[in-house]
């Protein structure tokens, strides 16, 4: 018998005995988010000497996100308390801070070296933002009163869901081979237009076709201001880019957005125009466009 199973049975037996003797036992349940989000859209680590924050985000739309955060006192700054702040920022620079359970717009980790804390902000829709461009995560290795020795700030960007929302704003417009908008599009033209409308998006570097976007994605997998993460089909999220080879030659000949429920959305052909359609066969790769940056 595995030790964890034996331990679970012993614990269950002890609790049953305590309940029989005292009449009741109250156990605080471990939060579901304590072990992290299942299949997050992206992650971010922000560190100072003595403080380390790990952020998981699940982008739920152009202005909605679930944030799971953890903050750890790594002990290299003795008698200092790490501080965490998380802010939502739109394309115009408007800021909406996360409010922690204490009611403050910051979280102070008490307890010293080795202590950590996790928290969850589920389905957060900050302020009246139309587009949640990015989250700014700031870590200090001490409070202002203690005399902060380090402040580190990093950003994690909501590229994929804002682009997907932009693409939907072009629904029912006509398909045109070589079209790049704003009146008609082909598949890659719609993809590029949708991303290039996002404030602060740095661009794909002059690519144009589905094949060249795919080649860009396969060669930009390291975290940067904009990069691509390859994902398995079972882990695909709304807004991910699906790349196809439908005719068996060497080139990618179609790209569209994943719309969920085994459907795609994009500029398909002259008959359908820009619309949803069932997923095709011939998927070569699935990529999620992400972005992280360090404040200067």
């Amino acid at each position: 018998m595995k030790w964890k199973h034996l331990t679970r049975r012993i614990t269950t037996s002890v609790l049953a005995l305590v309940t029989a003797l005292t009449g009741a036992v109250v156990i605080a349940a471990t939060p579901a988010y304590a072990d992290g989000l299942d299949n997050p859209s992206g992650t971010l680590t922000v560190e100072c000497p003595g403080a380390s924050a790990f952020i998981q985000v699940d982008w739920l739309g152009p202005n909605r996100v679930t944030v799971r955060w953890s903050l750890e006192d790594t002990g290299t700054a003795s008698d200092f308390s790490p501080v965490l702040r998380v802010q939502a920022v739109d394309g115009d620079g408007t800021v909406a801070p996360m409010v922690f359970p204490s009611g403050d717009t910051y979280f102070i980790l008490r307890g010293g070296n080795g202590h950590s804390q996790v928290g969850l902000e589920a389905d957060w829709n900050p302020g009246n933002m139309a587009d949640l461009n990015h989250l700014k995560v700031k870590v200090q290795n001490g409070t202002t009163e203690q005399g902060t020795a380090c402040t580190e700030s990093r950003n994690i960007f909501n590229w994929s869901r804002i682009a997907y929302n932009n693409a939907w704003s072009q629904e029912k417009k006509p398909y045109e081979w070589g079209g790049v908008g704003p009146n008609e599009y082909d598949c890659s033209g719609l993809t590029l237009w949708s991303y290039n409308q996002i404030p602060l998006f740095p661009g794909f570097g002059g690519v144009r076709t589905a094949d060249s976007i795919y080649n860009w994605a396969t060669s930009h997998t390291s975290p940067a201001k904009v990069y691509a993460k390859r994902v398995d089909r079972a882990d695909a999220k709304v807004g991910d880019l699906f790349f196809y080879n439908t005719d068996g030659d060497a080139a990618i000949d179609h790209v569209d957005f994943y719309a969920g429920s085994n459907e795609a959305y994009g500029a398909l052909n002259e008959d359908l125009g820009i619309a949803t359609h069932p997923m095709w066969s011939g998927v070569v790769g699935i990529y999620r466009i992400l972005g992280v940056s360090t404040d200067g």
Side-chain angles (χ1 to χ4, degrees):
M1 181 182 295
K2 293 183 178 180
W3 280 110
K4 63 180 183 180
H5 293 160
L6 179 59
T7 302
R8 187 180 300 120
R9 290 187 178 183
I10 292 173
T11 301
T12 302
S13 298
V14 171
L15 291 177
L17 178 60
V18 171
T19 302
L21 293 175
T22 65
V25 61
V26 178
I27 304 220
T30 301
Y33 56 81
D35 294 328
L37 299 181
D38 181 28
N39 188 27
S41 301
T43 63
L44 181 69
T45 299
V46 188
E47 295 181 308
C48 271
S52 179
F54 180 65
I55 308 296
Q56 294 177 304
V57 300
D58 192 9
W59 299 115
L60 305 175
N63 61 353
R64 293 167 50 237
V65 63
T66 289
V67 183
R68 189 264 190 186
W69 57 267
S70 65
L71 182 64
E72 180 181 3
D73 189 328
T74 55
T76 56
S78 180
D79 299 323
F80 279 65
S81 300
V83 182
L84 173 68
R85 290 178 173 83
V86 180
Q87 299 173 325
V89 186
D90 72 8
D92 294 329
T94 301
V95 174
M98 178 185 292
V99 178
F100 292 87
S102 64
D104 299 311
T105 57
Y106 54 85
F107 174 78
I108 301 175
L109 177 62
R110 309 290 187 180
N113 181 22
H115 281 75
S116 63
Q117 182 69 44
V118 299
L120 185 75
E121 187 74 19
D123 199 3
W124 184 29
N125 179 218
N128 293 315
M129 289 182 178
D131 290 325
L132 199 176
N133 187 273
H134 62 279
L135 295 180
K136 182 181 294 292
V137 180
K138 181 180 291 187
V139 169
Q140 298 171 208
N141 63 354
T143 66
T144 302
E145 292 76 14
Q146 292 168 340
T148 302
C150 170
T151 299
E152 185 71 21
S153 182
R154 300 193 73 203
N155 307 302
I156 183 166
F157 294 90
N158 186 15
W159 299 143
S160 62
R161 290 306 298 261
I162 295 178
Y164 179 69
N165 191 61
N166 289 342
W168 267 99
S169 73
Q170 304 303 292
E171 184 187 16
K172 298 182 180 179
K173 286 189 176 181
Y175 176 95
E176 178 69 29
W177 177 264
V180 295
N183 297 316
E184 62 277 319
Y185 301 87
D186 64 12
C187 65
S188 55
L190 177 65
T191 301
L192 294 172
W193 181 91
S194 299
Y195 276 94
N196 288 334
Q197 307 312 302
I198 305 174
L200 304 181
F201 183 72
F204 291 120
V207 301
R208 170 61 188 92
T209 65
D211 191 59
S212 61
I213 298 172
Y214 177 76
N215 290 333
W216 179 94
T218 60
S219 61
H220 287 78
T221 56
S222 297
K225 182 66 175 293
V226 58
Y227 70 103
K229 175 185 175 181
R230 186 172 184 125
V231 298
D232 294 333
R233 185 156 186 166
D235 295 330
K237 290 181 172 291
V238 171
D240 291 348
L241 295 180
F242 275 57
F243 294 91
Y244 305 80
N245 183 334
T246 62
D247 55 17
D249 64 11
I252 301 299
D253 50 34
H254 184 66
V255 58
D256 54 31
F257 294 88
Y258 184 54
S261 302
N262 209 36
E263 287 196 318
Y265 174 84
L268 187 59
N269 55 39
E270 289 85 353
D271 293 331
L272 287 178
I274 299 175
T276 57
H277 61 87
M279 298 298 303
W280 288 356
S281 60
V283 175
V284 174
I286 306 166
Y287 283 88
R288 183 174 305 147
I289 306 302
L290 302 171
V292 295
S293 71
T294 299
D295 287 350

